Amino acid sequence: MIVTQFLVIAAALFSLGVYGLLVRRNAVMVLLAVELMLNAVNINLIAFEAVIRSSQAVGQVFSIFVITVAAAEVGIGLAIILMIFRNRQSANVDDFNLMKF
Amino acid sequence: MTHLVLAVEAGAPELVSGGFFAQWAGIMLVAPFVAFLLIVFLGKRLKYLGAEFAIGAMALNLVWASILFVQNMSHGIFREENFEIASIGMFDGRALVFELGWVVDGLSIMMYFVVAFVGLLVFIYAVGYMHGDVRVTWFFASLSLFAGSMLILVGSPNLIQLIIGWEGVGLASYLLIGHYWEQKENSSAAMKAFYTNKVADVGLILGAILLGLAIGDFSFAAINEAAANHAEPLEAVAFAGGLLLFFGAMGKSAQFPLHIWLPDAMAGPTPVSALMHAATMVTAGIYLMARTFPVYQDLVGGEAARQWMVPIGVITLFAMGLLALVADDIKKVLAYSTVSQLGYMMTAVAAGGYTAGLFHLFTHAFFKALLFLGAGSVIHAVHSNNMSDMGGLRKEMPRTFWTFVIGSLSLAGIIPLAGFFSKDEILATLDHEGYQAFMWVAIAGAFVTAFYMTRAVALTFFGSYKGHGHPHESPALMTVPLVALAVPSVIAGFLNIPGVEFGGFGNFTTWVGARVVAMGDHHPEAIDWTLAAYGLTAGGLGILIGWLLYGKDAETQLARDRFEIPVLYPLLRQKYYMDHLALGMVGFTKGPAARAVDWVNTYVLDGIVNGVGGGVRLMGRFVYGGLDQRGIDMFFNGVSAGADSAGLALRRLQTGRVQQYAMGFVVGALVLVLAIAVFN
Amino acid sequence: MTFQSWISEPVNWVYLAIGGAVLVSGFRVVTTQNVVRAALYLVATLGGTAGLFLMLSAEFVAWTLVLVYIGAVIVLFLFGTMITRAPMVRDTGLDNPKARPMAAVLSLILFVVLSYTMLTAFGSTEIAQVGEGTDTRILGEALLGRFVLPFEIVGFILLAALVGGITIARRDLTPLEEEERGSV
């Protein structure tokens, strides 16, 4: 195996995540796309760890951290979306334009 | 800075730069001013009300001047000390330098001596005369002011300082003539003196400017050297400048027609008349002419100017003498006599007799001051100025009488008194320079002089007393100066006998000739006895006729005095209507002339100014309205409007939608990455 | 390494299979119009990712992924979806049509740039074969040894997320209810 094959997959997943981020109208869907991107990052980290093979498995440790933070972030994000939904009865990001000029 | 001698031509005087007394001669100029300040601040508390300071300063000056005089006898001194006060750069690279300082040379030493000698004696006299009078302290302060200004004038190394001193003595004269200003005529007399002198000062200042700017230097040394070298720039302005300076001298030295102030100046206290209006201040004009003598002697323009100066001097000499014949006030007699003698001096100097004019100035100072002080003594005793209130005083006031007689004889030019020698030298000058006609007028003037002086002596001291009370001799404080002045009135003439010199000490001619350039006047080898005889005859005739007419008892005197020659008498009484002329000129200036000038000012000058102002206002309006409001403001409005609309357009970016922001920075990040990738 | 040699290894076949699945699922996550399906597709993606991790000798991380992500996060998502009453049927309006072309282009460019960069940078760096796996003891020691500080911080983050989530999503009590409850 060469490392590039995993990096390419990661890149592809990342790009898909960006696409989803920019295109999706539902706030929850946007968060899903963000999860995709984080996942791609994880693949990168593990792949490089496999190349380096550090004595303390740094890449993998880092990957654990990423997963944990992603989970926390999802929790908060959903809470916020919930509140907005309660206020505005809509989860459509197009409607979240209070910061408009 | 010290100027040293530059011998210009052969025969130039051999001069030394003097010693300590010449170097510090400025103390003489300053001492009276110090006395002035001391008198003003401390005078009132002193026993003699400040006169102590005045007399002290004059005594110091007399000692100093005497030392310089003696030093000048053996070896002519020339020394100048200057202090540069200001310097103005001129267009052509030269600089006009304004300096103050003092000059010590033959002419100024002579003047220092005269001022100090006569001044000291008059001051001492004044202590007695002004005893119990009003404002004595201020009187002595003004006298000190005068003395200081006079010394500044005669000690000035340049025209500017001379003008300063000139104005100073004019101020002092005003203050002193108007000493008894409670009477309106006294303050009017002071004003008349001041105005007349002011008119003359225009000439003085213009002349000074002309001469000074012509050679770029106002100092006398430079002007005289330039004149002696026939310098071209000075030659060009010599006529105008010389006449203008003479015009200034006419005012101060009371030449016809600017003499009108001197008789009225007799309103001041007699010591003032003695000091200022006989011996010193009025001689300032003669001094100026003597100081700038090379300009008149060596330059063509100057010689041309002299052709105008001599006639004026002669007219003054004769016409004013006639006026003395009809004056009742003894001081007026002496005043007209002074004017007449000033005419003599001016005629002499204008005719080229530098030494003659100065010698007469020298002797005249002594006997005229003597005569005035004597008159003051009489006035003090009789409490009246008019000779019709006097008479027969020779018994009660012997010292006054004898000194007065000595002075009168000297004035009349009787040998061997001083006046004879000085007057004879003037006649000799006129004869030598070719002014024979004027010489005869001067001889006739000698006759008139003797005549009016005999009249005065007779009316005052002979006959019987016509006044009130019991006059008695004046105190010693007043008679001692009389005696002291009588001495030089007798012997001063021997100082300048033509052809006679005192061993290695020269005579008056050499002393006064110690100048930076040679004066070039004619020095007679011996007395011309023919001329002397004419002068003596004229003088003797005058005395004789005067005695015949007036040497009688009181009744005849008065009767004869009241006798009026038809046409001549009113003319004389009205002083040739000169005062009316002067008043008329003043009236014209006040009236039509002033109105005309006002019209020009209001319509022409103000019209121009207003027009310019209006034009500027229009331009301002245009600039404001057109350029500023529309032009510039539109530009700025446009800029701000542009910023406004740009803002309006750009704010559409702020949609508030996070996804669009995200799109934005993904795009941006990609652009950056691509840029790096491509250009790397 | 040439493509021939690469394709001949069995490991890479497995890789291709899992990778393909991951890609397809990922694609479906962002293009499906159904919210629930999107979440489920994400589950598939994450599962495939776990497989890839296993191939790379990162067992612990793989199972952590399954547990945390699939087990908790996705469930969270499904809950959130249900609560926000997102329509569970096909919804044409799930995508922003205006943004689609632009976003597609952008992501394509992004992919190309990233891949190209990595290809040129890492080329044919080889990885050791699927082998021993990583000793979990090493991970534990690392977490509580060298990385203890980030470990604690992440703990704080989780705590903050917990508290924050509750606080944010709380229903505002009316004053009456507050009084009744006797507490905030």
Side-chain angles (χ1 to χ4, degrees), chain B residues 322-345:
Chain B
L322 288 180
L323 286 178
L325 285 173
V326 301
D328 189 31
D329 184 340
I330 189 172
K331 283 179 71 175
K332 287 254 165 58
V333 174
L334 293 174
Y336 287 119
S337 168
T338 305
V339 177
S340 169
Q341 297 305 307
L342 287 168
Y344 269 100
M345 294 177 223

Side-chain angles (χ1 to χ4, degrees), chain B residues 636-680:
Chain B
F636 283 112
N637 287 346
V639 166
S640 65
D644 220 20
S645 45
L648 263 171
L650 285 172
R651 81 210 261 238
R652 270 173 240 279
L653 280 177
Q654 304 284 349
T655 55
R657 297 215 287 246
V658 187
Q659 251 179 350
Q660 288 191 341
Y661 297 165
M663 176 89 80
F665 55 75
V666 171
V667 170
L670 271 182
V671 166
L672 272 174
V673 170
L674 278 174
I676 294 175
V678 166
F679 291 110
N680 225 354

Side-chain angles (χ1 to χ4, degrees), chain A residues 67, chain C residues 47 49-51 53-54 58-71 136:
Chain A
I67 292 171
Chain C
T49 311
F53 284 179
L54 284 172
E59 305 88 35
F60 183 75
V61 182
W63 296 122
T64 309
L65 192 83
V66 171
L67 265 175
V68 173
Y69 251 131
I70 302 176
T136 311

Side-chain angles (χ1 to χ4, degrees), chain A residues 67-78:
Chain A
I67 292 171
T68 320
V69 171
E73 166 235 329
V74 165
I76 294 286
L78 280 176

